[in-house]
Amino acid sequence: MSPHKESVNFLGDNLPFMIFFALFALLAWDITAPISTPTLWAAMLSFISMPIYRFVNQRLMRNRFPGIAAGITLTLFLLICIVPILYALSTLGREAAGMGADFSQLLANIQQQAYSGKDFNFPAWLPVWAADYLTSFLENSEAVKSVLQYFAQWSAKFLSSLSAYLIEQGSSFILNVMITTMISFFLIRDGEKIVDYVKSVIPLSHDESEDFFSRTGSILNSIVYGIILTVALQALIGGVGWWFVGLGSPMLFGMLMFFFGMFPAGTAVVWVPGSIYLALTGDLKNAAILFTWGLLVVGTIDNLLRPFLISGGSGGCEIPTLLIIMGLFGGVMVWGFLGIFVGPLVLVLFVSVCDLYRKRWLRRHHG
């Protein structure tokens, strides 16, 4: 029988099953799509906490109580990682709210003093030269008064709508956390069985599937340890330097360093303007301290620790820089903060699949 007839017979014999399979695949997607983000978070958390589970299950439980071991692992992970993160976010929210309230009060005071003709009383953190410039500018510009009034009203409405949005999203966030926690428990307990099942159904040979999943684990190691751990350490040390020189809201600006540290611009986006602000206020000593701290300490961590961890110091594999940048930006735009993990992973795995296809093509044409 010719290859063409064999392919036609194969398609005809399996067409009913393919339709049957596609129907249930569509139904399964409709059910799981609304919880895709919590599921991805659960998969990420279970991967990170897997070393803890193996220690608890093998050393403490002797492989006899995997459910209890998974529960202990999840509890430890929440206590070690999630609780401090929630505390940091709550502190960040308070600091951001406080800064917003101070800014709104400043606008209100400027507006009131502009109409009353009194002298302007600017906050202590505003440089003297900037306060003098604003004073002369506001006293001679009626248009600025109306702009300030409009901006004060807009900022008040914005803060009010932001508070309402946060309250509205609070219930959704709690639900997602609950879903993530429950799925994480089962992924931690049955993760190896799930991976073995996926290996048995994907259209790859045994060696190809082993290589694919090994590379997936290495990529996740590289992302978690090479990027997240490095940036977290940078943010912590940068926040300490921010606090040491007397600048306000070190938790807020530490979180900003963590966010910008994911991208090529790095934490310098935060500590360089902080140094410039200190210099403009006349505090040249602390400005030099913060700049030196950011350049020699925070920057050295990024230049030394990240390449070591990404290149395999933690069991990871080398990730092309272009894929990291594209994955970070594209992933954040699609999945939010989760995209920091998922974006580079998807792109690198796509390149891995292309490599598998290339190897098959070469074997077919060159024996």
Side-chain angles (χ1 to χ4, degrees):
M1 184 179 295
S2 66
H4 176 69
K5 292 183 178 180
E6 289 182 358
S7 62
V8 171
N9 290 336
F10 175 83
L11 180 62
D13 294 339
N14 291 275
L15 183 59
F17 174 78
M18 294 172 63
I19 297 175
F20 184 73
F21 177 82
L23 173 63
F24 279 93
L26 180 61
L27 293 175
W29 171 252
D30 287 338
I31 294 173
T32 57
I35 59 171
S36 59
T37 298
T39 302
L40 288 174
W41 271 118
M44 191 63 57
L45 296 180
S46 63
F47 174 82
I48 296 173
S49 60
M50 190 56 64
I52 303 176
Y53 170 74
R54 288 171 180 163
F55 174 81
V56 173
N57 189 42
Q58 296 174 4
R59 298 293 182 87
L60 301 181
M61 299 296 173
R62 305 297 182 183
N63 294 321
R64 291 182 294 181
F65 306 102
I68 297 176
I72 294 174
T73 300
L74 188 57
T75 303
L76 289 175
F77 184 82
L78 292 175
L79 292 176
I80 295 172
C81 299
I82 304 302
V83 172
I85 291 175
L86 292 177
Y87 174 77
L89 290 177
S90 64
T91 304
L92 175 65
R94 290 195 299 268
E95 291 185 355
M99 292 181 64
D102 293 340
F103 187 70
S104 298
Q105 185 64 37
L106 172 63
L107 290 177
N109 292 338
I110 292 177
Q111 180 184 350
Q112 181 180 1
Q113 292 168 347
Y115 280 101
S116 63
K118 298 179 181 179
D119 294 333
F120 294 94
N121 296 320
F122 293 102
W125 52 263
L126 192 67
V128 176
W129 64 268
D132 293 339
Y133 175 80
L134 287 175
T135 299
S136 60
F137 182 73
L138 293 172
E139 287 177 347
N140 298 320
S141 178
E142 291 294 331
V144 173
K145 296 179 182 179
S146 61
V147 171
L148 284 173
Q149 182 180 8
Y150 171 79
F151 190 75
Q153 294 174 353
W154 176 86
S155 62
K157 292 180 180 179
F158 174 76
L159 292 175
S160 177
S161 60
L162 179 61
S163 300
Y165 174 79
L166 292 177
I167 294 174
E168 180 182 353
Q169 294 297 316
S171 58
S172 176
F173 174 77
I174 294 174
L175 178 61
N176 287 334
V177 169
M178 293 175 59
I179 295 174
T180 301
T181 303
M182 289 186 291
I183 296 177
S184 297
F185 171 82
F186 294 100
L187 291 181
I188 292 172
R189 189 190 67 179
D190 305 322
E192 294 182 355
K193 296 179 181 178
I194 295 173
V195 171
D196 290 338
Y197 177 79
V198 173
K199 288 180 179 179
S200 67
V201 298
I202 60 176
L204 298 175
S205 66
H206 175 75
D207 293 338
E208 289 175 337
S209 63
E210 290 294 331
D211 178 71
F212 181 80
F213 279 90
S214 175
R215 181 171 296 190
T216 301
S218 298
I219 293 167
L220 285 174
N221 276 325
S222 298
I223 294 172
V224 171
Y225 297 108
I227 298 177
I228 304 302
L229 182 61
T230 303
V231 174
L233 186 58
Q234 282 185 286
L236 176 62
I237 295 177
V240 170
W242 192 274
W243 165 82
F244 181 79
V245 297
L247 291 172
S249 303
M251 182 71 73
L252 172 62
F253 288 95
M255 292 293 291
L256 290 177
M257 291 182 196
F258 179 81
F259 175 77
F260 286 108
M262 304 286 181
F263 301 97
T267 56
V269 174
V270 180
W271 55 261
V272 167
S275 303
I276 295 175
Y277 165 77
L278 289 172
L280 292 177
T281 57
D283 193 353
L284 298 179
K285 176 182 176 181
N286 283 327
I289 291 175
L290 181 60
F291 186 84
T292 304
W293 181 263
L295 184 64
L296 298 182
V297 180
V298 180
T300 300
I301 292 174
D302 183 62
N303 294 329
L304 295 181
L305 186 59
R306 182 183 299 197
F308 169 73
L309 294 176
I310 289 181
S311 63
S314 63
C317 67
E318 185 70 37
I319 302 179
T321 304
L322 176 61
L323 294 183
I324 293 178
I325 296 175
M326 294 175 61
L328 286 174
F329 281 103
V332 169
M333 294 176 66
V334 176
W335 290 294
F337 184 76
L338 179 63
I340 293 174
F341 304 95
V342 179
L345 175 63
V346 171
L347 290 184
V348 175
L349 290 182
F350 172 72
V351 174
S352 299
V353 174
C354 292
D355 288 339
L356 290 176
Y357 171 77
R358 178 175 175 272
K359 291 178 181 178
R360 287 188 174 188
W361 188 87
L362 291 176
R363 285 197 303 266
R364 178 180 300 177
H365 288 77
H366 298 283

